[in-house]
Amino acid sequence: MKTALCETFQELAHFTWKRLGAASATGLPWSEETNTETLLATLAERHSRHVGLRAFTRREEALNGSDWEWWIGSPGAWFGMRVQAKRIHRTNGRFVGIHRQKPRGHTSTQMNTLITRAAKDGLAPVYCFYVHSATWPNNAIWLAQGNKSPRRELAGCLIAHASAVWATRSETLAKVGEVCVPWHYLVCDDSCDDGPAADRIRGLLHGSALAGDRARGLLADPYNEDFPLPLVRQYLPDHVTTALSDPDGAVDDGTESPRQYVQSRGLNGFVVINTSADGVW
């Protein structure tokens, strides 16, 4: 059954596809940050019972791109991700610098930082790619039960395990797209096997990681240190629930406040999506 949340995710993918196309045609900028903020604001406005959002003022120079901490699931089963957005370059159809870009003053690449910091915090490292392409989907296949989507506009937002992207060693949509899935698969019940949303999302990223292994010509276990996939959690972390109610409040276990948490990790904020019928958390 296609839920309203699922339809919105599909609509926003289509919006992103069209908006990037318009930006390319006119030469106007449309950054990852702008697109991300537009998508999240729309989700929070339309689905206030199902989407919790807490943004924090960014530093003068973002340390790690457009990183957000996402939690998707329902009471009793939650899956956490550290998500970084990257848009396709409008002139050459590449995700320029994705393997070598470094934040100012840092020696480690954004990609390596995304992967290592996510692992440290028990999160899956995930890219969300914003796409428009005249040749898509003719030049690549995303992981969708082995099939292409019937609507190329739904490729406007794609997700992938960051380590699988690393394994492609490529900036091209043709190669990177092979380890991606459409982002609406995160919330659409009919997009893959039945079961709790958190388990399905973990399965999607498992598939992305396996595709990364294939990109390297390996048949390795994606649950190793190269492809960190955290377990589904029964409860949302205290710093997340506190962030939605009191961003400066102390968490129950006495650790960092949500504001301290995001500042120490270079995050922009938190997104919580409850896919259950009742919503809230």
Side-chain angles (χ1 to χ4, degrees):
M1 180 179 64
K2 184 180 290 188
T3 64
L5 191 60
C6 172
E7 291 177 345
T8 298
F9 266 72
Q10 292 179 328
E11 179 183 329
L12 291 175
H14 192 179
F15 164 83
T16 297
W17 180 279
K18 292 175 63 179
R19 190 64 189 80
L20 290 182
S24 178
T26 60
L28 292 173
W30 187 255
S31 68
E32 292 101 346
E33 290 82 1
T34 299
N35 199 70
T36 298
E37 290 167 359
T38 301
L39 302 190
L40 294 181
T42 302
L43 284 171
E45 180 181 6
R46 291 188 185 179
H47 304 283
S48 58
R49 288 186 58 82
H50 294 269
V51 178
L53 175 65
R54 175 64 69 180
F56 293 82
T57 302
R58 288 197 299 269
R59 297 181 178 184
E60 292 182 4
E61 181 68 26
L63 293 181
N64 305 303
S66 300
D67 287 23
W68 290 75
E69 186 168 310
W70 284 57
W71 290 87
I72 305 180
S74 56
W78 297 96
F79 189 76
M81 304 178 292
R82 182 175 178 127
V83 181
Q84 185 173 125
K86 290 293 181 184
R87 59 157 288 169
I88 200 165
H89 196 276
R90 63 174 178 255
T91 57
N92 62 14
R94 291 173 175 263
F95 301 102
V96 176
I98 191 171
H99 291 277
R100 60 182 185 275
Q101 187 173 0
K102 298 177 182 179
R104 183 179 300 173
H106 287 250
T107 58
S108 181
T109 64
Q110 285 187 346
M111 179 180 288
N112 184 64
T113 299
L114 171 64
I115 293 169
T116 57
R117 290 202 174 184
K120 183 177 180 180
D121 290 331
L123 303 167
V126 173
Y127 277 108
C128 183
F129 293 113
Y130 300 144
V131 175
H132 176 88
S133 172
T135 60
W136 184 274
N138 298 322
N139 65 345
I141 299 175
W142 61 49
L143 293 171
Q145 302 297 314
N147 299 314
K148 294 182 182 180
S149 168
R151 294 174 56 197
R152 69 175 186 168
E153 293 85 356
L154 296 185
C157 298
L158 301 173
I159 62 166
H161 193 293
S163 292
V165 177
W166 167 81
T168 69
R169 301 294 202 277
S170 176
E171 295 181 346
T172 68
L173 178 59
K175 290 296 184 181
V176 172
E178 291 178 355
V179 301
C180 292
V181 295
W183 90 321
H184 67 271
Y185 278 27
L186 294 171
V187 297
C188 295
D189 292 340
D190 59 354
S191 61
C192 54
D193 295 338
D194 293 334
D199 290 333
R200 290 189 287 103
I201 295 166
R202 192 172 190 273
L204 288 174
L205 294 176
H206 179 186
S208 179
L210 284 174
D213 272 342
R214 289 194 292 272
R216 294 192 296 168
L218 302 175
L219 293 176
D221 179 1
Y223 291 93
N224 63 22
E225 62 181 9
D226 291 330
F227 295 100
L229 274 171
L231 298 175
V232 171
R233 295 179 56 152
Q234 185 175 3
Y235 302 104
L236 286 171
D238 288 338
H239 68 266
V240 176
T241 55
T242 302
L244 298 181
S245 59
D246 182 7
D248 292 309
V251 297
D252 290 342
D253 61 6
T255 56
E256 301 165 293
S257 72
R259 192 175 299 277
Q260 292 170 327
Y261 181 95
V262 299
Q263 288 177 345
S264 65
R265 290 160 175 81
L267 290 166
N268 286 352
F270 303 100
V271 181
V272 179
I273 299 178
N274 187 337
T275 61
S276 68
D278 294 334
V280 193
W281 33 85

